[in-house]
């Protein structure tokens, strides 16, 4: 409801409904807006966009974080010490790192583009909002085609990671990406666990994280290939590029909703591919693979003989 002063305009009879609608849409990371141009009308409005960004972040960090922080506040009022859980610390660190890195990279990408000519305060707000909304929210203040190709490639990473476990946001989740990155930097065949902040992460969690990331990449590749085939005519005549196809696939899997202009041009087959990709992304890669062909035999007691082969 804090959006009401910012959305109120003379003659606008729907500003109260719009305030409620945008508040729910932002917190739920839905990205739907009563306006056909999303939030372009508020591209320089710090008041409205700051509240939207706050709601997006709150909806994307997870309810476990809310509970843990509330407990810490209650204990602090009593003068008692209460430590945040390891999970909450990882979520908060990951969230801050992703938002800051997304803002810096996006802001730098404005250089030598038309966006560099807009006022500095609006430039900062645009870059910051883009960094936040990419975390599966889906609002936009400027068209995604306004960004450079390098910025769009970095934005793919932010969309792919998404929000945090136990939240409304999509993506592979911040903790999953964090653990996978830790293992890539520190793990090896003799080192089945990794540690961070004087805590050891068990191999079961590492295996689950790597499984989620690898299967998500596989689904993305399949979706992008099928979508490229379905929209081959648009690619051939130069209407869209390959990065538009990949952007659409990642946005669908992470349930972001942003597009580089491809969505309205999709054929029936292309729409069907995107629908299936969104469904898989919303249901969860790991959840869909349980007791499916991905996991092999249902008989967990059946042990096959080992066999060696060359890798790498």
């Amino acid at each position: 409801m804090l959006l009401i002063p910012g959305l109120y305009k003379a003659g606008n009879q729907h500003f109260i409904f719009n305030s409620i609608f945008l508040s729910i849409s932002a917190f739920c990371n839905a990205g739907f807006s009563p306006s056909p141009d999303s939030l372009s009308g508020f591209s320089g409005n710090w008041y409205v966009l700051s509240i939207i960004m706050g709601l997006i972040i709150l909806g994307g960090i997870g309810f476990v974080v809310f509970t843990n922080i509330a407990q810490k506040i209650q204990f602090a009022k009593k003068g008692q010490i209460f430590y945040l859980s390891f999970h909450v610390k990882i979520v908060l660190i990951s969230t801050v790192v992703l938002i800051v890195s997304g803002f810096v990279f996006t802001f730098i990408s404005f250089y030598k583009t038309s966006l560099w000519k807009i006022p500095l305060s609006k430039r900062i707000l645009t870059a910051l909002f883009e960094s936040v909304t990419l975390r599966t929210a889906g609002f936009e203040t400027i068209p995604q085609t306004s960004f450079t190709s390098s910025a769009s490639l970095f934005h793919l990473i932010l969309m792919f990671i998404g929000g945090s476990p136990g939240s409304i946001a999509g993506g592979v989740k911040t903790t999953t990406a964090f653990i996978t990155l830790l293992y890539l930097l520190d793990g090896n065949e003799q080192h089945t666990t990794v540690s961070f902040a004087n805590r050891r992460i068990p191999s079961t969690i590492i295996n689950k994280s790597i499984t989620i990331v690898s299967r998500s990449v596989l689904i993305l590749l399949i979706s992008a290939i099928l979508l490229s085939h379905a929209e081959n005519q648009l690619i051939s005549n130069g209407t869209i590029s390959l990065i538009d196809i990949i952007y659409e696939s990642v946005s669908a899997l992470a349930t972001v909703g942003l597009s580089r202009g491809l969505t309205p041009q999709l054929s029936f087959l292309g729409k069907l591919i995107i629908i299936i990709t969104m469904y898989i992304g919303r249901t969860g890669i790991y959840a869909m693979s349980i007791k499916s062909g991905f996991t092999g035999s249902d008989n967990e007691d059946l042990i096959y003989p080992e066999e060696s082969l060359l890798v790498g």
Side-chain angles (χ1 to χ4, degrees):
M1 297 299 288
L2 290 174
L3 289 170
I4 288 179
L7 295 182
Y8 175 76
K9 293 180 181 179
N12 183 2
Q13 301 176 353
H14 307 290
F15 68 95
I16 295 179
F17 171 80
N18 291 346
S19 295
I20 299 174
F21 188 96
L22 281 175
S23 297
I24 296 174
S25 182
F27 182 78
C28 294
N29 280 216
F32 292 109
S33 171
S35 176
D37 59 353
S38 191
L39 298 180
S40 298
F42 304 98
S43 58
N45 192 321
W46 275 91
Y47 179 83
V48 172
L49 295 187
S50 294
I51 296 175
I52 293 291
M53 286 188 288
L55 290 171
I56 292 172
I57 294 171
L58 289 175
I61 61 176
F63 297 102
V64 175
V65 177
F66 292 156
T67 303
N68 206 224
I69 292 178
Q71 290 175 334
K72 184 174 180 60
I73 294 174
Q74 291 177 354
F75 275 80
K77 289 180 179 179
K78 299 177 182 179
Q80 300 175 341
I81 299 176
F82 181 84
Y83 296 100
L84 294 176
S85 68
F86 183 67
H87 167 82
V88 172
K89 291 179 182 178
I90 297 299
V91 167
L92 295 178
I93 291 173
S94 302
T95 300
V96 172
V97 170
L98 289 173
I99 292 176
V100 172
S101 62
F103 163 74
V104 172
F105 196 93
T106 302
F107 185 83
I108 293 175
S109 71
F110 289 167
Y111 186 62
K112 291 187 177 180
T113 67
S114 58
L115 294 173
W116 193 257
K117 299 178 182 179
I118 64 178
L120 178 60
S121 60
K122 187 175 181 179
R123 213 183 313 154
I124 294 174
L125 179 60
T126 300
L128 182 59
F129 186 81
E130 183 69 13
S131 178
V132 173
T133 194
L134 286 166
R135 309 289 304 292
T136 81
F139 293 108
E140 66 176 11
T141 55
I142 61 174
Q144 298 304 298
T145 51
S146 302
F147 299 100
T148 62
S149 297
S150 59
S152 295
L153 288 174
F154 188 81
H155 293 168
L156 291 176
I157 299 175
L158 296 180
M159 289 194 295
F160 181 77
I161 295 175
S164 301
S167 72
I168 305 173
V172 298
K173 304 299 185 295
T174 54
T175 53
T176 305
F178 185 87
I179 292 171
T180 303
L181 180 61
L182 276 181
Y183 184 76
L184 291 176
L185 296 176
D186 191 40
N188 52 62
E189 59 272 17
Q190 286 84 32
H191 193 186
T192 58
T193 63
V194 293
S195 58
F196 180 79
N198 298 322
R199 292 294 185 273
R200 182 176 60 85
I201 301 173
S203 59
T204 52
I205 301 299
I206 296 174
N207 292 336
K208 182 177 180 179
S209 299
I210 295 176
T211 298
I212 293 173
V213 172
S214 59
R215 288 175 181 170
S216 297
V217 172
L218 178 62
I219 295 297
L220 280 177
L221 288 175
I222 295 174
S223 175
I225 292 172
L226 293 177
L227 194 59
S228 298
H229 175 73
E231 310 302 336
N232 183 61
Q233 185 175 355
L234 293 176
I235 298 176
S236 299
N237 60 29
T239 305
I240 61 173
S241 62
L242 185 58
I243 191 173
D244 298 328
I245 293 288
I246 299 174
Y247 203 94
E248 199 82 8
S249 297
V250 175
S251 180
L253 185 68
T255 62
V256 180
L258 291 174
S259 173
R260 287 175 56 87
L262 175 57
T263 304
Q265 306 179 64
L266 288 174
S267 62
F268 174 80
L269 180 58
K271 291 177 181 177
L272 184 61
I273 294 170
I274 290 299
I275 289 173
I276 295 174
T277 305
M278 286 190 293
Y279 180 78
I280 294 175
R282 184 66 275 178
T283 307
I285 300 294
Y286 195 82
M288 290 194 68
S289 66
I290 296 177
K291 295 299 180 183
S292 70
F294 280 87
T295 55
S297 173
D298 290 337
N299 188 354
E300 298 179 356
D301 296 327
L302 180 61
I303 301 177
Y304 292 101
E306 289 185 356
E307 190 66 53
S308 179
L309 73 161
L310 296 176
V311 294

